[in-house]
Amino acid sequence: MERDFRHDIQSIQAHLTQGRFDAAIKLCREVLDYAPREPNTLYMLGVAAAQIGDAATTREAFSRALTVTPDRIDLLLNFGNFLRETASPAEALSLHQRAASLAPQMPEAWKALATTQLRLDLCDEALFSANKLISISPKDESAWELAAGAAQRLKRLDEAVSMIERAIRLIPGSSMLNYALGQLCREQGNFKDAAIAYQTAHTLGFDSADLYRNTAESLLESGRSHDAVAFARLGLDRHSTDLELHRVVTRLHVESNSPGDPVEDLIIAARKHRTNPSLWETAIGFLKYLDRKNDQRVLLAEALAS
């Protein structure tokens, strides 16, 4: 019985759209049995294989598709992205360069190229590509981040800060850009402005354990030690198992001579997440550092019993 090619392609597309990647791969292979150089099928096989983490099939399918359709933009971008994220950024570079050359007004092409250039530490080239992206898509937050990241790597921190400040004026509600500004100000040693930028990012909805750690450190460096402890503790409400945040909270508590037990939050977290040995070890380590030998012995016995 003769296969219906159009029906097979539509079925593969439906499988991909609905997340049935194994079924898509199976049907792709059946189509390739009777149409071994069919470029759309090869491309969709690569896409489906990438979704399930089958790197060998992804590379083979995309490579075969590229020999048939070397100027296909989505193939150049996706194959390049795959290569960059699987430790082959040098191979990705030529694909992304070709995509940007073929589609110079496509933001995705310049974004992929700038990202790959940064991965290869080609910072001048990355800055050019990111600026090209900004000219095409000025309200794309990631475009400004890529440009500032390239300038930062080139040790042009003032330029990077200026870029992000311009971006924030253009996109005032961006939590990501305010966080990026905090990172740059902190690297400059401008802890007061870093704390303000971080707190603005927090107000706008940015949330990560790094945000709380970095804000607390910046507040401490700005002479606001008690605010630093309070903000770090706020982070523990959302990231109770983050060891680095616990270390920051405990250290800041000790350094600022804040009232109460500096290890209390860490002990509470260890008891709440009893099977997490790192929390117990960190709490016991701080008790040892504070020379609280009896508390150390008691907590060690409790940890061993958990």
Side-chain angles (χ1 to χ4, degrees), residues 259-274:
D261 183 354
V263 195
E264 181 180 8
D265 289 312
L266 193 47
I267 293 172
I268 290 171
R271 287 169 174 162
K272 181 178 179 182
H273 305 280
R274 303 190 73 86

Side-chain angles (χ1 to χ4, degrees), residues 180-255:
L181 180 60
Q183 294 286 81
L184 290 168
C185 289
R186 187 163 178 246
E187 187 171 341
Q188 285 183 313
N190 185 352
F191 296 107
K192 181 179 178 181
D193 286 346
I196 292 170
Y198 285 138
Q199 289 175 307
T200 301
H202 178 255
T203 300
L204 291 171
F206 195 98
D207 181 71
S208 73
D210 283 339
L211 169 73
Y212 292 100
R213 289 197 298 268
N214 294 336
T215 306
E217 296 280 9
S218 298
L219 288 167
L220 180 67
E221 294 291 343
S222 304
R224 298 167 57 188
S225 57
H226 293 295
D227 288 340
V229 174
F231 197 86
R233 287 190 186 282
L234 181 64
L236 287 180
D237 291 339
R238 301 183 65 88
H239 304 280
S240 62
T241 61
D242 188 90
L243 281 177
E244 287 304 314
L245 186 55
H246 274 290
R247 290 188 180 106
V248 167
V249 169
T250 306
R251 178 172 56 79
L252 293 181
H253 191 127
V254 173
E255 290 178 3

Side-chain angles (χ1 to χ4, degrees), residues 110-111 113-114 117 124-134:
W110 291 105
K111 184 181 296 186
L113 179 56
Q117 288 166 331
D124 284 305
E125 294 89 337
L127 183 56
F128 175 86
S129 298
N131 279 326
K132 187 73 175 179
L133 174 59
I134 289 170

